[in-house]
Amino acid sequence: MKRYTLHLVSLLSLALTMACLIPQRAAADDDDPPGRVARLGYVRGNVSFEPAGTDDWVSAVINRPLTTGDKLWNDTDSYSELHLGSASIRLGSTTGFTFLNLTDNTTQVQLTEGTLNIRVRRLGDDETFEVDTPNLAFTLLRPGNYKVNVNEAGDATLVVVRDGQGEVTGGGSAYTIHPRETGTFNGTDQIDADIESWDNSSDDFDDWCSERDRRIDTSVSARYVSNDVIGYEDLDEYGGWRPTPEYGTIWFPHVSIVGWAPYHYGHWAYIAPWGYTWVDDAPWGFAPFHYGRWVVVGGVWGWVPAPPRPVVVGVVYVRPVYAPALVAWVGGPHFGVAVGVGGGFAAGVSVGWFPLGPREVYVPSYHVSRNYVNNVNVTNTTVNTTVVNNYYNTTVINKTTVNNVTYVNQRVPGAVSATTPQAFTSAQSVSKNAVVVNQREVETAQVVATTPAVAPSKQAVLGSGTTARVHPPATFQNRPVVAKTAPPPPPPTFAKQQQAIQANGGKPIAISQMRQIQPEPTQARPTVKIAPPAKPLPTQAKGVQPNPNRPATTNNAGNKPVNTVNPPSNTAANPPSNTANPPANNNNGKAYNDRPPSSRPNNPPANNANTGNAPNNTKTTTPPPNPQLEQKHQQQIQDLRAQQDQERQRIEQQQQKDKADLAKKAADEAAKQAAQQKLNQQHQQQLEELEKKHDAEEAKLKQQQQVEKKAPPKPPAKPNKEDKPPKKDK
């Protein structure tokens, strides 16, 4: 009995200990930032951007990470494109857009005016995707292709579901929009709904979106990198994949700058809650700077990606976790890695960094849990969790430096980049404000894992964009929208954040600290109205049959490892594209009990998909594309790019040989520098000419393909006389 009592006491003690630890762990995980952002990957025309917490509109810059509270405005005849990993959002002309909430499992956006095209490739059962407009909330229920348009007056919303399924909530009612249907919803307090079959029409914006989708569907890079890595689809056009003995197949960028190195050409922006974030200048410069690792192979920089999504059922998969910049920081007497007197850098120092290599640990400078540090590393490189925990305990818990670590890129000539403190804290171009570093000094300098702790200026938050030439109309700022899900309060103003960062010693403040200085809930979202409870209908969208493309288990909640059923990924070499114009399939024969009779589909007149609130684009009914021809053209482009990459590799190898020969022949230092400068000029010209040649070759091929697309289909060839059956004798 005594032994039983002692055993029971031990169990109770253990239970109490776990009860004390679990809330702390939960609180720590709550402070983890989202594992994803939205990338602004394409801009055409006048696109303005307002960062969260500010009231300043600046010109939008590609590769800027967007998150909760950020706003975009597309002016007349302007397009832009956002990528979230599992989804793409494209903005049409005269469109006002805001991220009300963006987390690992929630995407909630505000559309006050204009047009959105949304392509969702994967949607977990625990994920929410909602579009809030002035008169309704539209919830996307399945992967698919969607279009939402709000008229200029803000009293009518058009929803087109080309593929997928969604639910409209507003005016006290709920309506399910099925595949290949279009719904027009007029009014605000009470909605007049008109749901009809989609007539297969498209406009210029739709055609552009379809073309952008094909780039993703046919991406070669999806074979080598996880399709949850944001920005991977741009790698095909700007580099090549090559096998290496030590690192497997890695990606080599096609650059025309002699001595190019990662994290040299771009600027540092301050984006809460991550803090200082690298924004690269290159059109492909997102995925390789926020995922994976960099290494030099054969004298050329290559990117070692996050591993692709496993195809084996039951294998643990963790969605790659976004990082603001995967670099280490140079210490020593001439480099600032900590704040000086007054909260700024010490006098006479520079800020220096270099890219992390494979198997090297990234240590966040922002407040995170042990689980986050593990996931942000194991999803981006091959690294032992014991090593990661050692870094976490040393740098985060004990706040000391990890010693006796050899960083592979620290000793690579030209790998270390340095700039002035002023350029670093005010989003100025690093390449235009570069500081020359002593190679011998940086090779032996102490390395600090975390970002320098210094409060940002407002310009760091605004980024490198200039003052916007075009501002959105006042209705964009003041027009209320209807939401089904209550969004979180908006981020606090930059002034409040800056004060809190300064009080935190220049380090980014935790999410829990951010909440303490946010607006009160009653004042948080005056322009967001929660939709009233919907009237009960015989069949609501909640009764939709299970979706085979949607994983049955939770999808990486909190970026923790989970056993998934591994939904289909776009890794095939040439899968069929998800176009805006699938074959006609009239749904008029179906019986719908989830809406009033007045809102059921009927036979629509021609070209009525955008009735009442169409954008100013010419609508056409385009015949379906030829899948065989599309596949043939895509294969031609892939073959051409592979051939061009091989040609480039030969030139790179020859240039490395030229450098090695020069190092042997140079008699003295002065002669060596002069000869090196001349050789660099020759190599620069050689690379620029190669890029021009390759651009011309691809442009010529695409022009030929356009001619082939427009050509009428050839009639089937007549059989040869020899193939004809012999005539029967009479």
Side-chain angles (χ1 to χ4, degrees), residues 468-546:
R469 293 185 298 173
V470 179
H471 288 243
T475 53
F476 174 74
Q477 301 281 15
N478 303 323
R479 179 178 287 169
V481 295
V482 175
K484 181 179 180 181
T485 305
T493 63
F494 169 71
K496 287 186 177 181
Q497 292 186 52
Q498 189 181 45
Q499 291 176 1
I501 294 168
Q502 290 171 343
N504 199 37
K507 298 178 182 179
I509 58 176
I511 292 178
S512 57
Q513 294 174 281
M514 190 86 72
R515 294 193 187 105
Q516 295 174 4
I517 59 175
Q518 280 179 322
E520 293 294 329
T522 55
Q523 303 173 350
R525 299 280 187 185
T527 58
V528 176
K529 301 183 298 183
I530 303 302
K535 296 177 182 178
L537 295 173
T539 303
Q540 294 291 340
K542 295 178 182 178
V544 173
Q545 294 299 317

Side-chain angles (χ1 to χ4, degrees), residues 553-597:
T553 57
T554 56
N555 183 18
N556 305 324
N559 286 306
K560 300 175 180 63
V562 293
N563 289 322
T564 68
V565 188
N566 292 317
S569 59
N570 297 326
T571 55
N574 292 295
S577 60
N578 186 359
T579 66
N581 301 303
N585 179 18
N586 199 322
N587 290 326
N588 291 341
K590 293 184 179 181
Y592 295 105
N593 297 318
D594 56 355
R595 61 187 67 140

Side-chain angles (χ1 to χ4, degrees), residues 621-689:
T621 302
T622 309
N626 184 333
Q628 291 79 16
L629 186 62
E630 291 285 345
Q631 185 171 352
K632 171 190 170 184
H633 287 173
Q634 189 60 37
Q635 190 62 50
Q636 288 175 340
I637 293 176
Q638 292 176 7
D639 293 343
L640 175 63
R641 288 174 177 171
Q643 177 185 343
Q644 291 175 342
D645 187 61
Q646 292 174 358
E647 182 182 5
R648 184 182 185 88
Q649 189 174 6
R650 289 193 297 268
I651 290 178
E652 289 172 347
Q653 292 171 348
Q654 182 59 48
Q655 290 185 348
Q656 293 302 316
K657 184 176 181 298
D658 294 343
K659 292 179 181 178
D661 293 342
L662 176 63
K664 296 177 182 178
K665 294 178 182 178
D668 54 53
E669 192 65 27
K672 182 179 179 179
Q673 290 182 357
Q676 183 68 55
Q677 185 176 4
K678 182 177 180 181
L679 183 64
N680 286 345
Q681 291 175 350
Q682 293 174 354
H683 287 175
Q684 181 84 24
Q685 183 177 1
Q686 193 176 24
L687 291 175
E688 290 174 353
E689 291 175 353

Side-chain angles (χ1 to χ4, degrees), residues 429-443:
S429 169
V430 168
S431 60
K432 295 179 181 178
N433 295 276
V435 174
V436 178
V437 298
N438 184 297
Q439 185 63 33
R440 293 182 181 178
E441 180 184 357
V442 298
E443 286 180 0

Side-chain angles (χ1 to χ4, degrees), residues 259-261 264 296 301 330-331 334-335 352-355 407-418 435-447 669 672-673:
W260 181 92
H264 277 50
V296 172
W301 285 99
V330 180
H334 299 115
F335 294 93
W353 60 89
F354 59 87
Y407 289 91
V408 63
N409 292 330
Q410 185 180 4
R411 292 167 175 78
V412 174
V416 174
S417 181
V435 174
V436 178
V437 298
N438 184 297
Q439 185 63 33
R440 293 182 181 178
E441 180 184 357
V442 298
E443 286 180 0
T444 58
Q446 181 186 14
V447 175
E669 192 65 27
K672 182 179 179 179
Q673 290 182 357

Side-chain angles (χ1 to χ4, degrees), residues 358-417:
R359 295 181 285 276
E360 294 173 358
V361 176
Y362 165 70
V363 181
S365 303
Y366 40 95
H367 190 87
V368 293
S369 66
R370 185 188 300 272
N371 186 57
Y372 179 95
V373 176
N374 186 66
N375 283 345
V376 77
N377 280 284
V378 300
T379 62
N380 283 300
T381 188
T382 302
V383 63
N384 190 293
T385 54
T386 303
V387 177
V388 177
N389 285 330
N390 178 45
Y391 271 81
Y392 181 84
N393 292 332
T394 304
T395 60
V396 179
I397 302 299
N398 301 327
K399 302 186 186 306
T400 57
T401 302
V402 178
N403 297 316
N404 303 320
V405 177
T406 301
Y407 289 91
V408 63
N409 292 330
Q410 185 180 4
R411 292 167 175 78
V412 174
V416 174
S417 181

Side-chain angles (χ1 to χ4, degrees), residues 72-375:
L72 287 173
W73 169 257
N74 282 12
D75 203 53
T76 306
D77 299 327
S78 301
Y79 290 171
S80 59
E81 180 179 64
L82 298 168
H83 283 276
L84 291 76
S86 61
S88 304
I89 303 176
R90 301 181 179 96
L91 285 66
S93 177
T94 57
T95 297
F97 174 93
T98 303
F99 271 117
L100 293 177
N101 195 14
L102 182 60
T103 66
D104 293 334
N105 302 316
T106 300
T107 304
Q108 186 175 9
V109 304
Q110 172 177 309
L111 176 65
T112 53
E113 179 184 343
T115 308
L116 294 183
N117 174 278
I118 303 172
R119 165 82 183 280
V120 179
R121 291 180 288 165
R122 294 176 300 282
L123 191 66
D125 283 345
D126 62 337
E127 290 186 73
T128 300
F129 203 120
E130 179 176 319
V131 180
D132 298 332
T133 78
N135 67 337
L136 59 83
F138 178 57
T139 305
L140 285 62
L141 300 177
R142 292 187 179 185
N145 194 310
Y146 304 86
K147 180 178 181 179
V148 184
N149 172 261
V150 175
N151 67 348
E152 186 176 357
D155 58 3
T157 299
L158 168 80
V159 177
V160 179
V161 178
R162 298 184 177 94
D163 182 32
Q165 188 162 303
E167 181 186 61
V168 167
T169 304
S173 300
Y175 306 89
T176 299
I177 312 295
H178 296 275
R180 299 188 55 76
E181 286 186 356
T182 175
T184 304
F185 302 88
N186 294 289
T188 51
D189 296 333
Q190 291 185 344
I191 291 181
D192 179 18
D194 182 17
I195 300 176
E196 302 173 325
S197 295
W198 177 47
D199 65 356
N200 211 41
S201 65
S202 65
D203 54 32
D204 293 342
F205 177 64
D206 298 326
D207 295 340
W208 174 75
C209 293
S210 298
E211 183 63 31
R212 300 294 291 180
D213 280 335
R214 280 192 286 272
R215 294 175 66 251
I216 300 174
D217 293 338
T218 59
S219 172
V220 174
S221 298
R223 303 173 187 171
Y224 310 108
V225 60
S226 170
N227 52 19
D228 282 315
V229 168
I230 298 173
Y232 76 87
E233 64 280 349
D234 282 326
L235 303 181
D236 291 1
E237 188 176 350
Y238 296 100
W241 294 92
R242 306 172 193 169
T244 63
E246 186 174 358
Y247 305 107
T249 303
I250 66 178
W251 182 78
F252 293 87
H254 292 172
V255 294
S256 57
I257 300 174
V258 173
W260 181 92
Y263 298 100
H264 277 50
Y265 300 90
H267 66 275
W268 292 96
Y270 197 93
I271 303 173
W274 298 272
Y276 287 102
T277 300
W278 180 256
V279 181
D280 203 78
D281 293 339
W284 50 267
F286 195 89
F289 298 97
H290 301 288
Y291 304 90
R293 298 291 191 270
W294 283 93
V295 70
V296 172
V297 179
V300 182
W301 285 99
W303 179 61
V304 186
R309 181 187 292 269
V311 295
V312 180
V313 176
V315 174
V316 174
Y317 171 74
V318 183
R319 184 169 61 193
V321 178
Y322 159 89
L326 293 161
V327 300
W329 302 84
V330 180
H334 299 115
F335 294 93
V337 292
V339 293
V341 178
F345 286 97
V349 302
S350 302
V351 188
W353 60 89
F354 59 87
L356 290 172
R359 295 181 285 276
E360 294 173 358
V361 176
Y362 165 70
V363 181
S365 303
Y366 40 95
H367 190 87
V368 293
S369 66
R370 185 188 300 272
N371 186 57
Y372 179 95
V373 176
N374 186 66
N375 283 345

